[in-house]
Amino acid sequence: MTAVPHDKAPADKGGLLARLLYGRGVDRDAKAKARVGLAILAFGLIYAVIAGRLVMYGVSSDGPSAKRGSGGDVVATARPDILDRNGAVLATDVRMPSLFGEPRRIIDVDEAVELLTATLPDIDGRELRERLSSNKGFVWLKREITPLQQQQIHKLGLPGIGFLAENKRVYPNGPEVSHVIGHVNIDNQGIAGLEKWLDSRGLADLHSLGFAIDRQQKPVELAVDLRVQHVLRAELVAAKDKFKAIAASGLVTDVRTGEIVGMVSLPDYDPNDPRQALDKTRLNRLTTGVFEMGSTFKALTVAMALDSGKVSLSSSFDARQSLRYGKFDINDYHAQKRILTVPEIFTYSSNIGTARMALALGVEHHKAFLKKMGQLDRLRTEIPESAEPLVPKRWAELNTVTIAFGHGLSVAPLQAVMGVGALMNGGKLIPPTFLKRTQAEADAIAKQVIKPETSDRMRYLMRLNAEKGSARKVDIPGYYVGGKTGTAEKVVNGRYSKTKLLTTFMAVFPADQPKYLVTILLDEPQPIPETKGYATSGWNAAPTAANVITRVAPLLGVEPRFDLPTADKQILAVTAGIR
Amino acid sequence: MVSRTQRTPFAEWWWTVDRLTLAAIGALMLAGIILLLAASPPVATKLGLDPFHFVNRQILYLVPAIAIMLGASFLSPRQIRRLALAVFVISTLLLAATLFVGTEIKGARRWIVLLGVNIQPSEFVKPAFVILIAWLFAESSRRPEMPANTVALFLLGLVGSLLILQPDFGQTMLIAMVWGALFFIAGMRVIWVVGLGGAAIVGLTGAYFTVPHVARRFKRFFDPSSGDTFQIDNAVESFLRGGWFGKGPGEGVVKRILPDSHADFIFAVAAEEFGIVLCIVIVALFSFIVIRTLSRAFHNEDAFARFAAAGLAVLFGAQSAINMAVNLHLIPAKGMTLPFISYGGSSLLSLAYGMGMLLALTRERPRAEQLQSRGHFHPAGSLA
């Protein structure tokens, strides 16, 4: 540098312009060097920003939100498949194209409206024009169109019209399992049945975070057996038809685990067409309806009496004359006009006998027992539909009298099934479930509510009733069925009607080793020639239950055993020997 | 292996040239071929050409390009100046000629047919212009009696107005940026930096209000819903679809709908098939070449060599950075090719010429030779 001294102060020698531009007395060489250094920094920074942006895209392309954001992807989020206990699909997602418009990009609204209405004749032309003329960025035009329509519209080549693949919920079995699984709305959000439960269980949160678009969600396995469900529904449809009932419903439950293997409430609806569900008559009577269960409730009264230890199978009660209580007169339908033993009271379904039994134990005991059996509180299961039982506000002796034979207390049928199930399975109250449950899980939540011996005696009574009593029609050879009929008079205009009945039937099989409980309810069955003018449970609900058991027992893997001894030997003697 | 003991011209070149930069340029050329293999067939098919038309042409152009680059890298600073003057004069004349006899493509007259070959004179003007400006600024500091600054300003005005008349705002912006960068490096006062920045803002604002499509592009960048953002939407989607490792060669779909997938948007198309990792490698190659050249310019003591090398590096760096930034939706859309990667014969030859000179200027030379080229021992002037 020293060799070129005039470089040191170039501006001094330069003209006015140079001095203006570069300043006076500056070492331009050193300055230039520093500024090249600055340029290095600047470029380093620029390339770092570019690389940073690339990394940003790389990271966001890993995330699910980017996958969704990249065009033509799912809007309505995916739901897990719902399977029955054997893996048959009850509900699944299918991808469907939906038509949308971006009004700001549309060049000719008239052309677009004309061509779209020609392709989709069922679309409202005026509404379409309104939507496309708006100044919005995005409008739905029609949700869930067919692939053929998509292709036709695609070929129209309209700018500002596009498709998004959406998940549409499909129920391949139609109305078969409708009330169990419920249905979803157009945005694939569960609004009834187990579908709603799925959302409340956290699926909705996943949706809002954008995580539930993955098709790899774990399927939900139900306790329902599609084959049993099909049989139950077919038989109920036939029975409803045959007896001209306004409604028919039924349950098949596993008394060992509380699993609901089949549940049908007719009239039902097709979840693929959820509008049908708005019809009030199509509600799920088994969980949303409350009914006076009639004589089937006597099982609870008898069990209470036996479990208290104050009454035994050989105890007897006076049924010689009607029980007069205030201005009410309690009579028997199959009046025997004599003193009846406990098994006789059960098989003749004596109102007087059961009422006296309940009175013998007192109101408080009765109330406490029903509370323990879960009959006085709202029963909640996975499905959101449930109803509060109608419990009398003042519970006097009269209430105990009527409730003893199943009047004056309205419960959801599923609730009664839970209670009777506990009488059958050795005395354990297990909350019913729609999901698959193992024996160990059931044992963990089971509550011992009555003694195992009481349960044995109750099954003896149920079996006895099928051998000699009102449930003879369900004595299907091989399955050792036990059952109890119930016929409740419906309240019409504040009075019990003699013609409008609710007939119920509960059957347990096999009665010596209880596995399944079948419950049938018929609402207002009519007498027909075949039933000799009767419309009571033994003539309609019981044969329906028999048909169901004949068909489902083999499906459920219950082995038929023939030539078994009568109930007193098979149930009472054997269990007495063990205990 | 080339021996150090034998002082052949090639051995001398080999041991003094920046071999790493040379390797990086080679890698970019190779990457260009590979990415064109992916990105150009859909464009070629759309134009009714052989699917590998653009690839074949690019390879064909690479042969003379490599020859030009290596040839230019042998030149001495004095030869570089003389050649640049010749190239500048010829290409400026051709640039002027495009206004009258040029073929109009997409609304701009940028091309001229010479001996049956379509050439784009604006490409060749750029490197020669950089060399001349660098020389002028170097002279202005050494020989203040020469009106170097005035001449430099005049050249900017001349080339700039010719480019605007075509019109080609991208190239205008680029040469203005390089001119500004050189002026800055040459040591101008901070007040002028501010003034120049202000002028750039005024210029952009002017373009915003007078040229409709510039305004549209700005609006679209800041409010994507205000207009058609088809290209940039698809470019961004391309990056997201590709992810870190890409969908694999031939698996891309965005290239079928992006009109300039073989030119302005090749970077995005490459991302979909080869992944963001490869894109980062390409960014690394560009930044390596630019920063290494600038750091060599930093250590160079010859003012002309420093300015010229820095100017060429800024030209190369700015063009690559603008293209990638547009692809990544970092700045408003601006038509700019990605050096050595995008398809284009004129662009390739011009880049080869520019990078050849860059290699020549960053060669390690004995101090005596540097001083000689400074003109200290040849007061008659280097350009003579």
Side-chain angles (χ1 to χ4, degrees), chain A residues 156-443:
Chain A
L156 298 177
L158 294 168
I161 300 286
F163 309 95
L164 277 176
E166 287 196 282
N167 277 316
K168 180 181 166 61
R169 198 65 160 164
V170 168
Y171 304 96
N173 303 295
E176 209 79 62
V177 272
S178 50
H179 282 124
V180 179
I181 52 179
H183 55 270
V184 297
N185 65 8
I186 189 91
D187 289 320
N188 240 19
Q189 292 158 336
I191 51 174
L194 276 162
E195 293 278 28
K196 186 165 184 187
W197 172 75
L198 279 179
D199 280 19
S200 67
R201 205 184 43 151
L203 187 68
D205 296 338
L206 286 181
H207 280 171
S208 64
L209 292 172
F211 282 119
I213 43 127
D214 205 345
R215 293 287 288 117
Q216 304 306 317
Q217 292 183 78
K218 204 166 166 261
V220 177
E221 281 182 302
L222 301 195
V224 167
D225 186 322
L226 186 58
R227 303 166 305 170
V228 171
Q229 184 77 10
H230 173 75
V231 169
L232 184 61
R233 185 163 186 276
E235 289 299 336
L236 283 171
V237 168
K240 178 171 174 279
D241 220 34
K242 185 172 172 184
F243 303 108
K244 298 182 184 64
I246 57 169
S249 42
L251 276 162
V252 178
T253 47
D254 187 328
V255 294
R256 297 162 297 180
T257 59
E259 288 173 290
I260 296 166
V261 183
M263 178 178 85
V264 173
S265 170
L266 297 176
D268 54 9
Y269 66 99
D270 185 346
N272 293 306
D273 180 13
R275 270 168 299 181
Q276 294 177 0
L278 296 176
D279 184 353
K280 283 266 184 288
T281 63
R282 295 178 195 269
L283 59 83
N284 183 355
R285 282 149 211 271
L286 295 168
T287 59
T288 330
V290 288
F291 300 94
E292 294 176 312
M293 293 299 289
S295 307
T296 40
F297 226 67
K298 285 176 188 152
L300 288 168
T301 315
V302 173
M304 167 180 75
L306 293 176
D307 201 51
S308 69
K310 291 174 187 157
V311 175
S312 73
L313 282 179
S314 49
S315 307
S316 53
F317 292 88
D318 183 2
R320 282 174 299 187
Q321 54 198 352
S322 63
L323 179 66
R324 218 174 154 76
Y325 213 92
K327 56 182 178 165
F328 293 95
D329 217 6
I330 313 294
N331 287 306
D332 280 354
Y333 188 77
H334 309 277
Q336 303 297 312
K337 306 280 182 201
R338 61 185 170 92
I339 293 173
L340 298 173
T341 61
V342 169
E344 281 170 333
I345 288 171
F346 193 76
T347 50
Y348 291 126
S349 197
S350 167
N351 293 342
I352 303 166
T354 34
R356 285 198 192 281
M357 230 184 271
L359 284 175
L361 291 163
V363 170
E364 284 315 309
H365 188 93
H366 191 202
K367 213 168 155 180
F369 182 78
L370 289 179
K371 178 99 182 159
K372 186 166 70 173
M373 298 304 283
Q375 302 302 305
L376 304 184
D377 299 303
R378 187 177 196 146
L379 172 66
R380 294 198 187 269
T381 59
E382 290 87 4
I383 63 174
E385 295 85 6
S386 68
E388 188 97 28
L390 296 178
V391 183
K393 285 195 186 70
R394 284 190 63 251
W395 190 313
E397 281 202 328
L398 175 64
N399 301 89
T400 282
V401 166
T402 58
I403 291 168
F405 55 84
H407 285 78
L409 171 66
S410 298
V411 297
L414 184 62
Q415 201 161 13
V417 165
M418 171 178 75
V420 174
L423 307 184
M424 298 296 113
N425 66 7
K428 289 175 288 188
L429 189 75
I430 308 171
T433 179
F434 289 93
L435 301 177
K436 237 179 173 172
R437 187 188 270 167
T438 63
Q439 188 63 56
E441 284 165 349
D443 290 342

Side-chain angles (χ1 to χ4, degrees), chain A residues 1 7-10 22 24-33, chain B residues 187:
Chain A
M1 285 294 181
D7 270 14
K8 282 285 181 187
Y22 303 109
R24 193 192 294 267
V26 180
D27 180 356
R28 277 176 63 186
D29 203 50
K31 204 170 173 184
K33 202 167 169 171

Side-chain angles (χ1 to χ4, degrees), chain A residues 20 22 35 47 62 104, chain B residues 149 188-189 192 225 244 320:
Chain A
L20 270 177
Y22 303 109
R35 291 201 168 168
Y47 283 118
D62 287 344
R104 284 186 211 160
Chain B
N149 294 311
M188 108 181 112
R189 289 161 68 185
W192 291 104
S225 62
W244 290 111
S320 66

Side-chain angles (χ1 to χ4, degrees), chain A residues 101-106 109 127-139:
Chain A
E102 291 168 286
R104 284 186 211 160
R105 292 193 180 188
I106 286 176
V109 174
E127 199 188 330
L128 182 67
R129 181 182 303 276
E130 248 167 52
R131 286 189 182 191
L132 290 182
S133 310
S134 70
N135 194 29
K136 286 183 183 153
F138 180 97
V139 286

